[in-house]
Amino acid sequence: MIRWLIVGMKHIFKPDKVFLIDGIGAAISALLLLLIIAPFESFFGFPAFIAINLAALPVIFSIYSLYCYWSKPTSSIYLKLIAIANLTYCLITIGLVIYYFTKITIFGIVYFLIEKMIVVPLAIWEWKLANR
């Protein structure tokens, strides 16, 4: 399934737009954490204070990616950095889901699962583009 998503992304998104896609996606993740997950702690079962603190990462990633999109860096290190950051974010959130597993509802699990199904293929695609 991840392979299918990566192949699909290659055809839908052009490589020169990867930082824009990442920046917008990270902003959406931060907004979802701040405006949906945190305020509805009882529905998702994910602690609000953790969601609020966790949102700092996608905010930073969004700023970084959008800056890279507009500045058009020529080195692949910038793309590798955001790929590693995205995968690290996924590992952190997976760890938090495991830690709070007894509190998280099925809706919280589904939310984080869908998020990972988007972010992991994006990070793999970024890494592959950086290694061209």
Side-chain angles (χ1 to χ4, degrees):
M1 180 160 175
I2 289 177
R3 183 180 188 94
W4 175 80
L5 287 171
I6 293 168
V7 171
M9 277 198 259
K10 286 181 186 176
H11 295 293
I12 296 170
F13 305 119
K14 296 183 180 198
D16 62 331
K17 303 281 189 238
V18 68
F19 282 117
L20 179 63
I21 294 162
D22 192 281
I24 292 170
I28 292 169
S29 285
L31 287 172
L32 289 171
L33 284 167
L34 292 171
L35 302 176
I36 305 295
I37 302 298
F40 300 102
E41 180 178 348
S42 61
F43 183 77
F44 292 99
F46 196 75
F49 72 97
I50 298 292
I52 292 166
N53 288 313
L54 185 61
L57 292 175
V59 167
I60 292 166
F61 298 169
S62 180
I63 292 167
Y64 172 83
S65 291
L66 292 173
Y67 173 79
C68 287
Y69 172 72
W70 284 305
S71 66
K72 309 261 188 251
T74 55
S75 174
S76 65
I77 192 71
Y78 297 95
L79 202 50
K80 287 181 180 180
L81 184 61
I82 197 63
I84 291 168
N86 281 330
L87 290 174
T88 302
Y89 172 77
C90 288
L91 291 174
I92 290 168
T93 56
I94 289 168
L96 289 168
V97 167
I98 291 168
Y99 185 79
Y100 291 107
F101 190 76
T102 58
K103 294 181 179 184
I104 297 178
T105 67
I106 189 69
F107 302 107
I109 291 170
V110 168
Y111 167 80
F112 285 108
L113 183 62
I114 290 171
E115 185 184 57
K116 299 313 145 244
M117 290 172 62
I118 295 168
V119 177
V120 169
L122 176 63
I124 293 169
W125 181 50
E126 291 166 339
W127 188 262
K128 286 184 177 188
L129 284 174
N131 286 316
R132 280 188 182 177

